[in-house]
Amino acid sequence: MNMTDNHGNPEDPASRRQAFEPAYLALHRSGELRRRAGALWAMMGECRLCPRECGADRLQGERGFCRAPGTRLVISSYGTHFGEERPLVGLNGSGTIFFSHCSLRCSFCQNWEISISGEGMEQSIGELAGLMLCLQDSGCHNINLVTPTHYSAHILGALDIAAARGLRLPLVYNTCGWERLEILGMLDGVVDIYMPDFKYWEADMASKYSAGAASYPELTAKAILEMQRQTGTAQYAGGGIMQRGLIIRHLVLPNNVGGSEMIMEWIAQNLLADTYVNIMAQYHPEYKAQEHPELSRTITSGEYAAVVEKAKKLGLVNLDIQGRRLL
C-alpha cells in the first residue's frame, strides 16, 4: 500500500499525542538528553559536527565552513508548513523551523539566501524551545528541523527545555543526508523521523557541485542505513500521518548529474520496498547554477519519467511522484 495515497481524516491531534510518545522523552527524563546536548556543544570547540570537520573554534566565536557565527543560533523562519510530504502535513501542517547556514553549500542551492547568505535572526536556545511549543499549540503534526546539522547542540538543548514544558510531537530531522555516524549515534533515541536527501551517486559530482564534498555518496549511504536502523519501519497515525520512520528525498537534476537511477537501485537493494521515496521535480537553476552549463536548465519530462520508471521497475512501492505534470 502506498501510504501517500491515504486520504483518511487524521485523528484529533490531542488524542493522538496521548497515544504517541516521541523518542526523546525517555532521554529527557533520564537526563541523557541534556548530557548529549553538552557533548555536542563541546564538539564546537574544534568543530566536527558535520563531515567537513573544519575544526573551527566556534566556542570562541569562529565561523566554520558552514558560516554559522560561533555558538550563536540563527533561524530564518518558522511556521506551519503545507509544502512538505503528505505524511508530515496532514490537515494541520508540519511545524517547520528553517535554520540558516549549511555545511554542504551546493552550487545550485534552491534556498541559497538562507543556507549560504545566512539570512535570518539570532535566537536563544530558550527561544527555540518556545518556537517548538508554539508550533505544537498551533496543532502541527510534528517539529520539522530543516538543515539542523551545524546546530545539533542547540537543538538538543532546546528539546530538553521544551520536553520539560510539555512538548510531545514527533521530531523530524530534515537533512542534506551528509552526516557523520558519530553524530547520528548521539541522535539515536532523539529523532523520530529522519528525512535525508540523497543528492549524488558519484563522488566527483558531489565534489564539483558541493564545494569539494567528495565523501557525500559514501557517507550519505551509510547515514541512511543508520537512520533506518534507528527508526525502523514507518509507523503511522490516523490519516497516514507519520510518527516514526524514514523519508528519502531525491531531487532529479538535469543531464543526470545526480545519478538518479543508480540511487534508486541502491535504495531498492538496501532498504525495504515500501521505504518512502520522494522523487522531486522542482529543480530550477539557482545561485551559481548558471556557471555550469549542465545545470543551467530545468529538467525535461523524459529525465523525470526515466527515474520514476526505474524506481517502479525496481519494486519500490511507496513513491511520492511530485512531477506528475512531467509524465
Side-chain angles (χ1 to χ4, degrees), residues 46-64:
E46 294 181 0
C47 197
R48 56 186 193 278
L49 293 181
C50 84
R52 301 240 182 230
E53 297 189 64
C54 69
D57 189 349
R58 291 176 61 189
L59 298 181
Q60 295 300 317
E62 290 183 15
R63 289 180 182 264

Side-chain angles (χ1 to χ4, degrees), residues 22-45:
Y24 54 81
L25 282 185
L27 296 182
H28 162 69
R29 295 188 190 107
S30 69
E32 176 66 9
L33 188 58
R34 181 177 298 180
R35 188 200 70 78
R36 292 190 194 180
L40 289 168
W41 191 271
M43 283 188 183
M44 290 191 290

Side-chain angles (χ1 to χ4, degrees), residues 239-250:
I241 301 299
M242 187 179 287
Q243 294 182 318
R244 189 167 177 81
L246 174 69
I247 294 174
I248 299 175
R249 287 174 163 177
H250 175 68

Side-chain angles (χ1 to χ4, degrees), residues 135-208:
L135 292 168
Q136 176 170 273
D137 291 343
S138 297
C140 295
H141 298 291
N142 47 66
I143 302 298
N144 185 351
L145 308 171
V146 183
T147 320
T149 307
H150 49 296
Y151 290 126
S152 54
H154 304 73
I155 289 166
L156 265 62
L159 191 62
D160 191 54
I161 295 170
R165 293 165 55 187
L167 185 69
R168 296 296 183 270
L169 293 182
L171 192 72
V172 182
Y173 203 78
N174 187 337
T175 166
C176 69
W178 196 44
E179 299 283 349
R180 296 185 60 221
L181 291 180
E182 179 184 1
I183 303 303
L184 290 179
M186 299 181 75
L187 297 176
D188 192 0
V190 177
V191 174
D192 298 290
I193 300 169
Y194 280 107
M195 188 158 63
D197 293 333
F198 201 153
K199 295 179 182 290
Y200 309 103
W201 180 250
E202 296 181 2
D204 58 345
M205 295 293 102
S207 181
K208 181 176 182 180

Side-chain angles (χ1 to χ4, degrees), residues 105-316:
R105 291 169 60 176
C106 301
S107 298
F108 53 87
C109 182
Q110 310 288 282
N111 297 302
W112 63 271
E113 298 93 341
I114 299 169
S115 62
I116 296 172
S117 295
E119 291 184 0
M121 296 188 65
E122 289 187 20
Q123 304 279 345
S124 69
I125 290 175
E127 287 170 330
L128 175 57
L131 297 183
M132 294 176 178
L133 292 164
C134 179
L135 292 168
Q136 176 170 273
D137 291 343
S138 297
C140 295
H141 298 291
N142 47 66
I143 302 298
N144 185 351
L145 308 171
V146 183
T147 320
T149 307
H150 49 296
Y151 290 126
S152 54
H154 304 73
I155 289 166
L156 265 62
L159 191 62
D160 191 54
I161 295 170
R165 293 165 55 187
L167 185 69
R168 296 296 183 270
L169 293 182
L171 192 72
V172 182
Y173 203 78
N174 187 337
T175 166
C176 69
W178 196 44
E179 299 283 349
R180 296 185 60 221
L181 291 180
E182 179 184 1
I183 303 303
L184 290 179
M186 299 181 75
L187 297 176
D188 192 0
V190 177
V191 174
D192 298 290
I193 300 169
Y194 280 107
M195 188 158 63
D197 293 333
F198 201 153
K199 295 179 182 290
Y200 309 103
W201 180 250
E202 296 181 2
D204 58 345
M205 295 293 102
S207 181
K208 181 176 182 180
Y209 303 115
S210 291
S215 65
Y216 181 92
E218 178 184 0
L219 291 189
T220 299
K222 291 178 178 178
I224 289 174
L225 291 176
E226 172 61 14
M227 294 171 186
Q228 170 64 30
R229 185 198 67 78
Q230 289 185 19
T231 60
T233 303
Q235 300 174 19
Y236 297 87
I241 301 299
M242 187 179 287
Q243 294 182 318
R244 189 167 177 81
L246 174 69
I247 294 174
I248 299 175
R249 287 174 163 177
H250 175 68
L251 177 66
V252 179
L253 298 174
N255 293 298
N256 198 33
V257 164
S260 300
E261 293 188 25
M262 294 301 296
I263 288 175
M264 295 302 122
E265 284 193 14
W266 183 88
I267 293 171
Q269 292 170 3
N270 291 276
L271 299 171
L272 299 174
D274 64 348
T275 299
Y276 192 110
V277 180
N278 182 355
I279 303 176
M280 305 171 79
Q282 65 264 44
Y283 175 80
H284 55 279
E286 284 285 353
Y287 190 44
K288 297 182 178 181
Q290 296 291 351
E291 297 177 8
H292 305 281
E294 64 275 22
L295 290 176
S296 62
R297 61 167 174 82
T298 57
I299 62 172
T300 67
S301 58
E303 286 172 327
Y304 186 78
V307 181
V308 172
E309 289 307 308
K310 180 69 171 181
K312 290 180 176 179
K313 287 179 180 178
L314 289 166
L316 298 175

